[in-house]
Amino acid sequence: MSHKSRKQRVWDPVTRLFHWSLVVAVVTGWSLGRFGPTVLSVHYYMGYTVAALLVLRIYWGFRGPQPVRFRTFIYGPATTLVYIKRMAKRVPSHWPGHNPVGALSVFAMLAVLALQVATGLIADPDDFVNVGPLARWVEFDTARWAASAHRLSSKLLLALVGLHIGAILYYRFWKDEDLVRPMITGWKEVRDDHPKAPPKSDAMLDN
């Protein structure tokens, strides 16, 4: 079924800056951790950057504009299942903000990144070099566990990033919906009949 849509500014500058800064920090940090030099100084700086960005996103999830507040994209099982059943349809969803599946991806990514930061801070890989700055404050066994959990969660993070990229490609080529441009410009096609669509008085058809 077709529906009418209009261009609406959805993603604010802070959210867009957070998103692309996180991309750079995560890709750089993960690459250095996997393929970088023995001494991971820059890897740690990227971890601190991710930590700061997570704090910003959590704050913005409560104080930011409506589309990025957590309460606006917490969906119940029924809504999520209905959306999943309709995902295969070759039509754009034009969902205002995060759709139910995208919302799950957001929360999963934030949780795994928080785990990465927490375990990295207290990890002791027993190499006498890349010891987390807070490792001395925990038991040695805990620090060793953190090092193992940090490696495991990095693989989980890679899987989530892969799913995220796959979803972007799926929406672009199957559903004919570009999810990248709105995160650059802030403007997104939004369904007029969606209950969470912003008022028409706030819409601007031309950028």
Side-chain angles (χ1 to χ4, degrees), residues 110-159:
L110 292 177
V112 172
L113 285 172
L115 178 62
Q116 276 272 281
V117 169
T119 54
L121 288 172
I122 63 172
D124 185 349
D126 201 23
D127 61 3
F128 304 103
V129 177
N130 300 303
V131 180
L134 303 181
R136 67 181 182 274
W137 298 104
V138 300
E139 296 291 335
F140 179 70
D141 288 344
T142 302
R144 292 299 301 276
W145 169 86
S148 177
H150 192 70
R151 289 189 295 269
L152 180 62
S153 60
S154 71
K155 296 177 182 177
L156 182 56
L157 179 61
L158 180 63

mmCIF file of all heavy atoms in Angstrom, residues 110-159:
data_model
loop_
_atom_site.group_PDB
_atom_site.id
_atom_site.type_symbol
_atom_site.label_atom_id
_atom_site.label_comp_id
_atom_site.label_asym_id
_atom_site.label_seq_id
_atom_site.Cartn_x
_atom_site.Cartn_y
_atom_site.Cartn_z
ATOM 1 N N LEU A 110 24.633 0.393 21.590
ATOM 2 C CA LEU A 110 25.018 1.152 22.779
ATOM 3 C C LEU A 110 25.451 0.228 23.908
ATOM 4 O O LEU A 110 26.424 0.501 24.617
ATOM 5 C CB LEU A 110 23.853 2.036 23.235
ATOM 6 C CG LEU A 110 23.467 3.201 22.314
ATOM 7 C CD1 LEU A 110 22.251 3.939 22.872
ATOM 8 C CD2 LEU A 110 24.622 4.176 22.129
ATOM 9 N N ALA A 111 24.735 -0.893 24.069
ATOM 10 C CA ALA A 111 25.061 -1.835 25.141
ATOM 11 C C ALA A 111 26.426 -2.488 24.912
ATOM 12 O O ALA A 111 27.243 -2.590 25.835
ATOM 13 C CB ALA A 111 23.977 -2.907 25.240
ATOM 14 N N VAL A 112 26.692 -2.905 23.680
ATOM 15 C CA VAL A 112 27.969 -3.563 23.383
ATOM 16 C C VAL A 112 29.116 -2.569 23.489
ATOM 17 O O VAL A 112 30.198 -2.906 23.996
ATOM 18 C CB VAL A 112 27.921 -4.210 21.983
ATOM 19 C CG1 VAL A 112 29.305 -4.717 21.575
ATOM 20 C CG2 VAL A 112 26.928 -5.358 21.968
ATOM 21 N N LEU A 113 28.903 -1.347 23.030
ATOM 22 C CA LEU A 113 29.951 -0.331 23.145
ATOM 23 C C LEU A 113 30.236 -0.013 24.613
ATOM 24 O O LEU A 113 31.398 0.185 24.995
ATOM 25 C CB LEU A 113 29.537 0.935 22.399
ATOM 26 C CG LEU A 113 29.615 0.855 20.873
ATOM 27 C CD1 LEU A 113 28.995 2.100 20.242
ATOM 28 C CD2 LEU A 113 31.060 0.705 20.407
ATOM 29 N N ALA A 114 29.195 0.041 25.434
ATOM 30 C CA ALA A 114 29.398 0.274 26.864
ATOM 31 C C ALA A 114 30.201 -0.873 27.486
ATOM 32 O O ALA A 114 31.091 -0.647 28.322
ATOM 33 C CB ALA A 114 28.050 0.419 27.570
ATOM 34 N N LEU A 115 29.910 -2.102 27.059
ATOM 35 C CA LEU A 115 30.662 -3.253 27.547
ATOM 36 C C LEU A 115 32.118 -3.174 27.092
ATOM 37 O O LEU A 115 33.037 -3.473 27.872
ATOM 38 C CB LEU A 115 30.022 -4.545 27.032
ATOM 39 C CG LEU A 115 30.728 -5.851 27.425
ATOM 40 C CD1 LEU A 115 30.737 -6.022 28.944
ATOM 41 C CD2 LEU A 115 30.045 -7.050 26.755
ATOM 42 N N GLN A 116 32.329 -2.762 25.852
ATOM 43 C CA GLN A 116 33.687 -2.611 25.331
ATOM 44 C C GLN A 116 34.485 -1.599 26.153
ATOM 45 O O GLN A 116 35.634 -1.854 26.535
ATOM 46 C CB GLN A 116 33.628 -2.137 23.872
ATOM 47 C CG GLN A 116 33.455 -3.238 22.863
ATOM 48 C CD GLN A 116 34.783 -3.804 22.419
ATOM 49 O OE1 GLN A 116 35.474 -3.231 21.589
ATOM 50 N NE2 GLN A 116 35.155 -4.939 22.986
ATOM 51 N N VAL A 117 33.872 -0.466 26.421
ATOM 52 C CA VAL A 117 34.555 0.577 27.184
ATOM 53 C C VAL A 117 34.842 0.100 28.608
ATOM 54 O O VAL A 117 35.963 0.238 29.119
ATOM 55 C CB VAL A 117 33.714 1.871 27.214
ATOM 56 C CG1 VAL A 117 34.293 2.863 28.216
ATOM 57 C CG2 VAL A 117 33.656 2.498 25.815
ATOM 58 N N ALA A 118 33.824 -0.474 29.254
ATOM 59 C CA ALA A 118 33.975 -0.909 30.653
ATOM 60 C C ALA A 118 35.057 -1.971 30.800
ATOM 61 O O ALA A 118 35.909 -1.891 31.695
ATOM 62 C CB ALA A 118 32.643 -1.420 31.181
ATOM 63 N N THR A 119 35.044 -2.970 29.917
ATOM 64 C CA THR A 119 36.039 -4.037 30.016
ATOM 65 C C THR A 119 37.428 -3.542 29.620
ATOM 66 O O THR A 119 38.432 -3.983 30.186
ATOM 67 C CB THR A 119 35.650 -5.240 29.141
ATOM 68 O OG1 THR A 119 35.409 -4.801 27.789
ATOM 69 C CG2 THR A 119 34.403 -5.917 29.676
ATOM 70 N N GLY A 120 37.476 -2.612 28.662
ATOM 71 C CA GLY A 120 38.777 -2.077 28.267
ATOM 72 C C GLY A 120 39.450 -1.286 29.373
ATOM 73 O O GLY A 120 40.678 -1.314 29.522
ATOM 74 N N LEU A 121 38.659 -0.618 30.185
ATOM 75 C CA LEU A 121 39.216 0.191 31.274
ATOM 76 C C LEU A 121 39.850 -0.653 32.370
ATOM 77 O O LEU A 121 40.807 -0.214 33.022
ATOM 78 C CB LEU A 121 38.116 1.073 31.875
ATOM 79 C CG LEU A 121 37.635 2.252 31.025
ATOM 80 C CD1 LEU A 121 36.417 2.903 31.662
ATOM 81 C CD2 LEU A 121 38.748 3.277 30.842
ATOM 82 N N ILE A 122 39.330 -1.863 32.566
ATOM 83 C CA ILE A 122 39.845 -2.682 33.669
ATOM 84 C C ILE A 122 40.597 -3.920 33.180
ATOM 85 O O ILE A 122 41.009 -4.758 33.979
ATOM 86 C CB ILE A 122 38.712 -3.116 34.615
ATOM 87 C CG1 ILE A 122 37.705 -4.006 33.880
ATOM 88 C CG2 ILE A 122 38.022 -1.908 35.230
ATOM 89 C CD1 ILE A 122 36.651 -4.629 34.797
ATOM 90 N N ALA A 123 40.793 -4.046 31.872
ATOM 91 C CA ALA A 123 41.410 -5.254 31.323
ATOM 92 C C ALA A 123 42.911 -5.308 31.602
ATOM 93 O O ALA A 123 43.607 -4.289 31.568
ATOM 94 C CB ALA A 123 41.172 -5.323 29.811
ATOM 95 N N ASP A 124 43.390 -6.514 31.876
ATOM 96 C CA ASP A 124 44.826 -6.766 31.995
ATOM 97 C C ASP A 124 45.147 -8.014 31.169
ATOM 98 O O ASP A 124 44.936 -9.143 31.618
ATOM 99 C CB ASP A 124 45.214 -6.992 33.461
ATOM 100 C CG ASP A 124 46.724 -7.130 33.642
ATOM 101 O OD1 ASP A 124 47.435 -7.260 32.628
ATOM 102 O OD2 ASP A 124 47.183 -7.113 34.797
ATOM 103 N N PRO A 125 45.654 -7.809 29.939
ATOM 104 C CA PRO A 125 45.948 -8.947 29.072
ATOM 105 C C PRO A 125 47.222 -9.687 29.451
ATOM 106 O O PRO A 125 47.660 -10.582 28.741
ATOM 107 C CB PRO A 125 46.069 -8.296 27.693
ATOM 108 C CG PRO A 125 46.546 -6.915 27.986
ATOM 109 C CD PRO A 125 45.895 -6.528 29.290
ATOM 110 N N ASP A 126 47.835 -9.283 30.557
ATOM 111 C CA ASP A 126 49.049 -9.933 31.045
ATOM 112 C C ASP A 126 50.217 -9.787 30.071
ATOM 113 O O ASP A 126 51.045 -10.688 29.947
ATOM 114 C CB ASP A 126 48.788 -11.422 31.332
ATOM 115 C CG ASP A 126 49.818 -12.012 32.291
ATOM 116 O OD1 ASP A 126 50.428 -11.230 33.045
ATOM 117 O OD2 ASP A 126 50.009 -13.239 32.270
ATOM 118 N N ASP A 127 50.252 -8.651 29.360
ATOM 119 C CA ASP A 127 51.397 -8.398 28.482
ATOM 120 C C ASP A 127 52.287 -7.281 29.039
ATOM 121 O O ASP A 127 53.241 -6.873 28.404
ATOM 122 C CB ASP A 127 50.938 -8.029 27.066
ATOM 123 C CG ASP A 127 50.086 -6.756 27.020
ATOM 124 O OD1 ASP A 127 49.891 -6.129 28.088
ATOM 125 O OD2 ASP A 127 49.615 -6.394 25.933
ATOM 126 N N PHE A 128 51.915 -6.764 30.227
ATOM 127 C CA PHE A 128 52.685 -5.733 30.939
ATOM 128 C C PHE A 128 52.747 -4.403 30.173
ATOM 129 O O PHE A 128 53.514 -3.517 30.532
ATOM 130 C CB PHE A 128 54.119 -6.209 31.233
ATOM 131 C CG PHE A 128 54.173 -7.489 32.001
ATOM 132 C CD1 PHE A 128 54.476 -8.679 31.354
ATOM 133 C CD2 PHE A 128 53.882 -7.525 33.355
ATOM 134 C CE1 PHE A 128 54.517 -9.875 32.050
ATOM 135 C CE2 PHE A 128 53.911 -8.715 34.065
ATOM 136 C CZ PHE A 128 54.235 -9.897 33.405
ATOM 137 N N VAL A 129 51.958 -4.262 29.113
ATOM 138 C CA VAL A 129 51.982 -3.037 28.301
ATOM 139 C C VAL A 129 50.588 -2.421 28.204
ATOM 140 O O VAL A 129 50.355 -1.300 28.639
ATOM 141 C CB VAL A 129 52.535 -3.312 26.885
ATOM 142 C CG1 VAL A 129 52.487 -2.028 26.041
ATOM 143 C CG2 VAL A 129 53.952 -3.851 26.953
ATOM 144 N N ASN A 130 49.654 -3.170 27.651
ATOM 145 C CA ASN A 130 48.316 -2.643 27.367
ATOM 146 C C ASN A 130 47.339 -2.945 28.509
ATOM 147 O O ASN A 130 46.320 -3.595 28.323
ATOM 148 C CB ASN A 130 47.808 -3.230 26.048
ATOM 149 C CG ASN A 130 48.703 -2.877 24.891
ATOM 150 O OD1 ASN A 130 48.948 -1.696 24.624
ATOM 151 N ND2 ASN A 130 49.229 -3.882 24.208
ATOM 152 N N VAL A 131 47.691 -2.438 29.666
ATOM 153 C CA VAL A 131 46.856 -2.638 30.850
ATOM 154 C C VAL A 131 45.880 -1.480 30.982
ATOM 155 O O VAL A 131 46.265 -0.312 30.851
ATOM 156 C CB VAL A 131 47.727 -2.743 32.117
ATOM 157 C CG1 VAL A 131 46.859 -2.948 33.342
ATOM 158 C CG2 VAL A 131 48.740 -3.871 31.967
ATOM 159 N N GLY A 132 44.620 -1.782 31.224
ATOM 160 C CA GLY A 132 43.614 -0.741 31.373
ATOM 161 C C GLY A 132 43.940 0.192 32.517
ATOM 162 O O GLY A 132 44.509 -0.230 33.529
ATOM 163 N N PRO A 133 43.586 1.469 32.394
ATOM 164 C CA PRO A 133 43.939 2.456 33.429
ATOM 165 C C PRO A 133 43.314 2.183 34.790
ATOM 166 O O PRO A 133 43.808 2.676 35.801
ATOM 167 C CB PRO A 133 43.434 3.773 32.828
ATOM 168 C CG PRO A 133 42.378 3.379 31.847
ATOM 169 C CD PRO A 133 42.838 2.071 31.285
ATOM 170 N N LEU A 134 42.245 1.410 34.834
ATOM 171 C CA LEU A 134 41.585 1.110 36.118
ATOM 172 C C LEU A 134 41.801 -0.333 36.555
ATOM 173 O O LEU A 134 41.184 -0.773 37.532
ATOM 174 C CB LEU A 134 40.081 1.402 36.009
ATOM 175 C CG LEU A 134 39.682 2.825 35.595
ATOM 176 C CD1 LEU A 134 38.167 2.952 35.564
ATOM 177 C CD2 LEU A 134 40.284 3.855 36.538
ATOM 178 N N ALA A 135 42.664 -1.058 35.855
ATOM 179 C CA ALA A 135 42.860 -2.477 36.156
ATOM 180 C C ALA A 135 43.381 -2.705 37.566
ATOM 181 O O ALA A 135 43.079 -3.721 38.193
ATOM 182 C CB ALA A 135 43.811 -3.094 35.135
ATOM 183 N N ARG A 136 44.177 -1.766 38.075
ATOM 184 C CA ARG A 136 44.759 -1.960 39.414
ATOM 185 C C ARG A 136 43.714 -1.877 40.516
ATOM 186 O O ARG A 136 43.996 -2.229 41.668
ATOM 187 C CB ARG A 136 45.861 -0.918 39.653
ATOM 188 C CG ARG A 136 45.380 0.508 39.741
ATOM 189 C CD ARG A 136 46.557 1.461 39.965
ATOM 190 N NE ARG A 136 46.155 2.843 40.103
ATOM 191 C CZ ARG A 136 45.960 3.673 39.097
ATOM 192 N NH1 ARG A 136 46.123 3.242 37.847
ATOM 193 N NH2 ARG A 136 45.614 4.933 39.300
ATOM 194 N N TRP A 137 42.525 -1.415 40.193
ATOM 195 C CA TRP A 137 41.480 -1.273 41.193
ATOM 196 C C TRP A 137 40.586 -2.504 41.300
ATOM 197 O O TRP A 137 39.655 -2.522 42.112
ATOM 198 C CB TRP A 137 40.618 -0.044 40.889
ATOM 199 C CG TRP A 137 41.397 1.240 40.935
ATOM 200 C CD1 TRP A 137 41.827 1.976 39.869
ATOM 201 C CD2 TRP A 137 41.846 1.936 42.094
ATOM 202 N NE1 TRP A 137 42.520 3.084 40.280
ATOM 203 C CE2 TRP A 137 42.544 3.093 41.656
ATOM 204 C CE3 TRP A 137 41.728 1.699 43.476
ATOM 205 C CZ2 TRP A 137 43.125 3.996 42.534
ATOM 206 C CZ3 TRP A 137 42.305 2.606 44.346
ATOM 207 C CH2 TRP A 137 42.991 3.748 43.876
ATOM 208 N N VAL A 138 40.852 -3.508 40.465
ATOM 209 C CA VAL A 138 40.037 -4.729 40.526
ATOM 210 C C VAL A 138 40.951 -5.930 40.761
ATOM 211 O O VAL A 138 42.176 -5.839 40.608
ATOM 212 C CB VAL A 138 39.231 -4.936 39.218
ATOM 213 C CG1 VAL A 138 38.293 -3.771 38.969
ATOM 214 C CG2 VAL A 138 40.160 -5.132 38.019
ATOM 215 N N GLU A 139 40.348 -7.036 41.127
ATOM 216 C CA GLU A 139 41.106 -8.264 41.316
ATOM 217 C C GLU A 139 41.743 -8.708 39.998
ATOM 218 O O GLU A 139 41.205 -8.453 38.920
ATOM 219 C CB GLU A 139 40.192 -9.373 41.840
ATOM 220 C CG GLU A 139 39.598 -9.106 43.209
ATOM 221 C CD GLU A 139 40.658 -9.161 44.306
ATOM 222 O OE1 GLU A 139 41.690 -9.839 44.106
ATOM 223 O OE2 GLU A 139 40.442 -8.512 45.359
ATOM 224 N N PHE A 140 42.881 -9.400 40.102
ATOM 225 C CA PHE A 140 43.599 -9.818 38.898
ATOM 226 C C PHE A 140 42.733 -10.729 38.022
ATOM 227 O O PHE A 140 42.711 -10.592 36.797
ATOM 228 C CB PHE A 140 44.899 -10.540 39.273
ATOM 229 C CG PHE A 140 45.680 -11.013 38.082
ATOM 230 C CD1 PHE A 140 46.321 -10.119 37.245
ATOM 231 C CD2 PHE A 140 45.757 -12.374 37.793
ATOM 232 C CE1 PHE A 140 47.037 -10.555 36.135
ATOM 233 C CE2 PHE A 140 46.472 -12.818 36.694
ATOM 234 C CZ PHE A 140 47.118 -11.906 35.864
ATOM 235 N N ASP A 141 42.001 -11.656 38.653
ATOM 236 C CA ASP A 141 41.134 -12.553 37.883
ATOM 237 C C ASP A 141 40.053 -11.775 37.137
ATOM 238 O O ASP A 141 39.692 -12.121 36.008
ATOM 239 C CB ASP A 141 40.488 -13.584 38.802
ATOM 240 C CG ASP A 141 41.476 -14.629 39.295
ATOM 241 O OD1 ASP A 141 42.568 -14.730 38.691
ATOM 242 O OD2 ASP A 141 41.175 -15.320 40.286
ATOM 243 N N THR A 142 39.542 -10.737 37.775
ATOM 244 C CA THR A 142 38.540 -9.888 37.125
ATOM 245 C C THR A 142 39.145 -9.161 35.934
ATOM 246 O O THR A 142 38.516 -9.045 34.870
ATOM 247 C CB THR A 142 37.970 -8.865 38.126
ATOM 248 O OG1 THR A 142 37.391 -9.560 39.234
ATOM 249 C CG2 THR A 142 36.909 -7.991 37.464
ATOM 250 N N ALA A 143 40.372 -8.673 36.091
ATOM 251 C CA ALA A 143 41.048 -7.974 35.004
ATOM 252 C C ALA A 143 41.322 -8.909 33.828
ATOM 253 O O ALA A 143 41.197 -8.509 32.662
ATOM 254 C CB ALA A 143 42.353 -7.360 35.503
ATOM 255 N N ARG A 144 41.690 -10.148 34.129
ATOM 256 C CA ARG A 144 41.916 -11.125 33.062
ATOM 257 C C ARG A 144 40.616 -11.482 32.369
ATOM 258 O O ARG A 144 40.557 -11.646 31.150
ATOM 259 C CB ARG A 144 42.571 -12.388 33.634
ATOM 260 C CG ARG A 144 44.000 -12.192 34.122
ATOM 261 C CD ARG A 144 44.928 -11.748 32.984
ATOM 262 N NE ARG A 144 44.970 -12.705 31.897
ATOM 263 C CZ ARG A 144 45.752 -13.780 31.858
ATOM 264 N NH1 ARG A 144 46.564 -14.045 32.880
ATOM 265 N NH2 ARG A 144 45.734 -14.588 30.819
ATOM 266 N N TRP A 145 39.529 -11.630 33.158
ATOM 267 C CA TRP A 145 38.215 -11.878 32.564
ATOM 268 C C TRP A 145 37.806 -10.720 31.663
ATOM 269 O O TRP A 145 37.257 -10.921 30.570
ATOM 270 C CB TRP A 145 37.173 -12.066 33.660
ATOM 271 C CG TRP A 145 35.768 -12.070 33.104
ATOM 272 C CD1 TRP A 145 35.090 -13.140 32.598
ATOM 273 C CD2 TRP A 145 34.901 -10.935 32.949
ATOM 274 N NE1 TRP A 145 33.856 -12.746 32.129
ATOM 275 C CE2 TRP A 145 33.714 -11.400 32.335
ATOM 276 C CE3 TRP A 145 35.022 -9.577 33.270
ATOM 277 C CZ2 TRP A 145 32.657 -10.552 32.047
ATOM 278 C CZ3 TRP A 145 33.964 -8.734 32.983
ATOM 279 C CH2 TRP A 145 32.793 -9.220 32.380
ATOM 280 N N ALA A 146 38.071 -9.489 32.110
ATOM 281 C CA ALA A 146 37.721 -8.301 31.328
ATOM 282 C C ALA A 146 38.449 -8.301 29.990
ATOM 283 O O ALA A 146 37.881 -7.916 28.957
ATOM 284 C CB ALA A 146 38.038 -7.034 32.112
ATOM 285 N N ALA A 147 39.716 -8.728 29.990
ATOM 286 C CA ALA A 147 40.477 -8.783 28.745
ATOM 287 C C ALA A 147 39.841 -9.770 27.773
ATOM 288 O O ALA A 147 39.720 -9.496 26.566
ATOM 289 C CB ALA A 147 41.928 -9.165 29.029
ATOM 290 N N SER A 148 39.402 -10.902 28.289
ATOM 291 C CA SER A 148 38.744 -11.905 27.457
ATOM 292 C C SER A 148 37.395 -11.394 26.944
ATOM 293 O O SER A 148 37.051 -11.551 25.772
ATOM 294 C CB SER A 148 38.555 -13.192 28.254
ATOM 295 O OG SER A 148 37.861 -14.161 27.500
ATOM 296 N N ALA A 149 36.628 -10.770 27.849
ATOM 297 C CA ALA A 149 35.324 -10.226 27.469
ATOM 298 C C ALA A 149 35.468 -9.102 26.456
ATOM 299 O O ALA A 149 34.626 -8.940 25.562
ATOM 300 C CB ALA A 149 34.586 -9.728 28.710
ATOM 301 N N HIS A 150 36.548 -8.331 26.562
ATOM 302 C CA HIS A 150 36.798 -7.239 25.635
ATOM 303 C C HIS A 150 37.028 -7.783 24.223
ATOM 304 O O HIS A 150 36.508 -7.235 23.249
ATOM 305 C CB HIS A 150 38.025 -6.446 26.097
ATOM 306 C CG HIS A 150 38.209 -5.144 25.397
ATOM 307 N ND1 HIS A 150 37.384 -4.063 25.587
ATOM 308 C CD2 HIS A 150 39.138 -4.740 24.488
ATOM 309 C CE1 HIS A 150 37.784 -3.043 24.847
ATOM 310 N NE2 HIS A 150 38.848 -3.444 24.158
ATOM 311 N N ARG A 151 37.785 -8.863 24.125
ATOM 312 C CA ARG A 151 38.028 -9.477 22.822
ATOM 313 C C ARG A 151 36.740 -10.064 22.249
ATOM 314 O O ARG A 151 36.453 -9.917 21.057
ATOM 315 C CB ARG A 151 39.098 -10.558 22.934
ATOM 316 C CG ARG A 151 40.502 -10.040 23.164
ATOM 317 C CD ARG A 151 41.538 -11.142 23.035
ATOM 318 N NE ARG A 151 41.389 -12.148 24.085
ATOM 319 C CZ ARG A 151 42.002 -12.098 25.246
ATOM 320 N NH1 ARG A 151 42.817 -11.075 25.527
ATOM 321 N NH2 ARG A 151 41.828 -13.059 26.145
ATOM 322 N N LEU A 152 35.964 -10.730 23.103
ATOM 323 C CA LEU A 152 34.707 -11.338 22.647
ATOM 324 C C LEU A 152 33.703 -10.286 22.204
ATOM 325 O O LEU A 152 33.056 -10.418 21.152
ATOM 326 C CB LEU A 152 34.117 -12.189 23.769
ATOM 327 C CG LEU A 152 32.794 -12.902 23.449
ATOM 328 C CD1 LEU A 152 32.984 -13.872 22.296
ATOM 329 C CD2 LEU A 152 32.274 -13.637 24.688
ATOM 330 N N SER A 153 33.578 -9.212 22.974
ATOM 331 C CA SER A 153 32.607 -8.174 22.623
ATOM 332 C C SER A 153 33.022 -7.421 21.371
ATOM 333 O O SER A 153 32.173 -6.866 20.666
ATOM 334 C CB SER A 153 32.410 -7.203 23.796
ATOM 335 O OG SER A 153 33.615 -6.570 24.159
ATOM 336 N N SER A 154 34.331 -7.404 21.067
ATOM 337 C CA SER A 154 34.776 -6.764 19.821
ATOM 338 C C SER A 154 34.258 -7.536 18.612
ATOM 339 O O SER A 154 33.930 -6.945 17.581
ATOM 340 C CB SER A 154 36.302 -6.664 19.785
ATOM 341 O OG SER A 154 36.902 -7.927 19.596
ATOM 342 N N LYS A 155 34.180 -8.862 18.744
ATOM 343 C CA LYS A 155 33.630 -9.679 17.662
ATOM 344 C C LYS A 155 32.124 -9.450 17.536
ATOM 345 O O LYS A 155 31.583 -9.389 16.426
ATOM 346 C CB LYS A 155 33.922 -11.155 17.917
ATOM 347 C CG LYS A 155 35.407 -11.491 17.910
ATOM 348 C CD LYS A 155 35.643 -12.957 18.249
ATOM 349 C CE LYS A 155 37.141 -13.270 18.281
ATOM 350 N NZ LYS A 155 37.391 -14.682 18.669
ATOM 351 N N LEU A 156 31.454 -9.305 18.670
ATOM 352 C CA LEU A 156 30.029 -9.009 18.651
ATOM 353 C C LEU A 156 29.773 -7.641 18.034
ATOM 354 O O LEU A 156 28.828 -7.458 17.260
ATOM 355 C CB LEU A 156 29.482 -9.060 20.086
ATOM 356 C CG LEU A 156 27.981 -8.821 20.261
ATOM 357 C CD1 LEU A 156 27.172 -9.795 19.426
ATOM 358 C CD2 LEU A 156 27.596 -8.933 21.730
ATOM 359 N N LEU A 157 30.642 -6.685 18.363
ATOM 360 C CA LEU A 157 30.525 -5.350 17.782
ATOM 361 C C LEU A 157 30.683 -5.415 16.270
ATOM 362 O O LEU A 157 29.942 -4.753 15.527
ATOM 363 C CB LEU A 157 31.577 -4.426 18.391
ATOM 364 C CG LEU A 157 31.617 -2.992 17.865
ATOM 365 C CD1 LEU A 157 30.296 -2.284 18.140
ATOM 366 C CD2 LEU A 157 32.776 -2.232 18.496
ATOM 367 N N LEU A 158 31.650 -6.192 15.795
ATOM 368 C CA LEU A 158 31.862 -6.344 14.353
ATOM 369 C C LEU A 158 30.613 -6.916 13.685
ATOM 370 O O LEU A 158 30.210 -6.466 12.602
ATOM 371 C CB LEU A 158 33.069 -7.244 14.094
ATOM 372 C CG LEU A 158 33.408 -7.503 12.623
ATOM 373 C CD1 LEU A 158 33.782 -6.203 11.918
ATOM 374 C CD2 LEU A 158 34.543 -8.526 12.511
ATOM 375 N N ALA A 159 29.977 -7.895 14.345
ATOM 376 C CA ALA A 159 28.754 -8.486 13.797
ATOM 377 C C ALA A 159 27.633 -7.451 13.710
ATOM 378 O O ALA A 159 26.903 -7.389 12.708
ATOM 379 C CB ALA A 159 28.324 -9.669 14.658
#
